[in-house]
């Protein structure tokens, strides 16, 4: 999740739920992606998919990144909204 770890809103909302209805064991919290390989990979795939759809001229260097990830995308690629 985005943020710097100072926003406790997610944890407060999670703790407000009845325990019998909670399906997440731990409180949601910010984690720096530079310390989490899975978050780094998710960030890279999401960024490259976004750049393919956006196709902004200033980001031309990233326009062809997503095709390298597409074969592993279980959703079949970005969706046009």
């Amino acid at each position: 999740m985005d943020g710097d770890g100072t926003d406790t809103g997610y944890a407060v909302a999670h703790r407000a739920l009845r325990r019998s209805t909670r399906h997440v064991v731990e409180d949601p919290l910010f984690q720096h992606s530079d310390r989490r390989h899975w978050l780094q990979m998710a960030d890279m795939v999401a960024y490259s998919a976004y750049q393919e759809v956006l196709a902004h001229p200033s980001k031309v260097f990233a326009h062809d990144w997503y095709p390298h990830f597409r074969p592993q995308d279980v959703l079949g690629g970005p969706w046009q909204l």
Side-chain angles (χ1 to χ4, degrees):
M1 293 191 280
D2 291 333
D4 63 3
T6 59
D7 182 2
T8 60
Y10 292 112
V12 170
H14 184 247
R15 292 283 172 107
L17 299 172
R18 293 183 334 204
R19 288 185 186 182
S20 62
T21 62
R22 290 188 203 172
H23 298 288
V24 176
V25 176
E26 295 289 333
D27 290 335
L29 59 104
F30 173 79
Q31 295 185 20
H32 290 278
S33 65
D34 61 346
R35 294 184 167 181
R36 303 286 184 248
H37 296 287
W38 289 107
L39 287 178
Q40 286 179 353
M41 288 185 279
D43 284 349
M44 188 66 206
V45 171
Y47 178 79
S48 65
Y50 177 72
Q51 292 307 325
E52 182 176 355
V53 171
L54 181 66
H56 194 275
S58 69
K59 304 290 184 176
V60 70
F61 65 89
H63 291 177
D64 63 347
W65 289 359
Y66 189 72
H68 298 287
F69 297 117
R70 188 177 292 129
Q72 291 82 29
D73 188 338
V74 298
L75 298 177
W79 298 357
Q80 184 69 37
L81 299 177

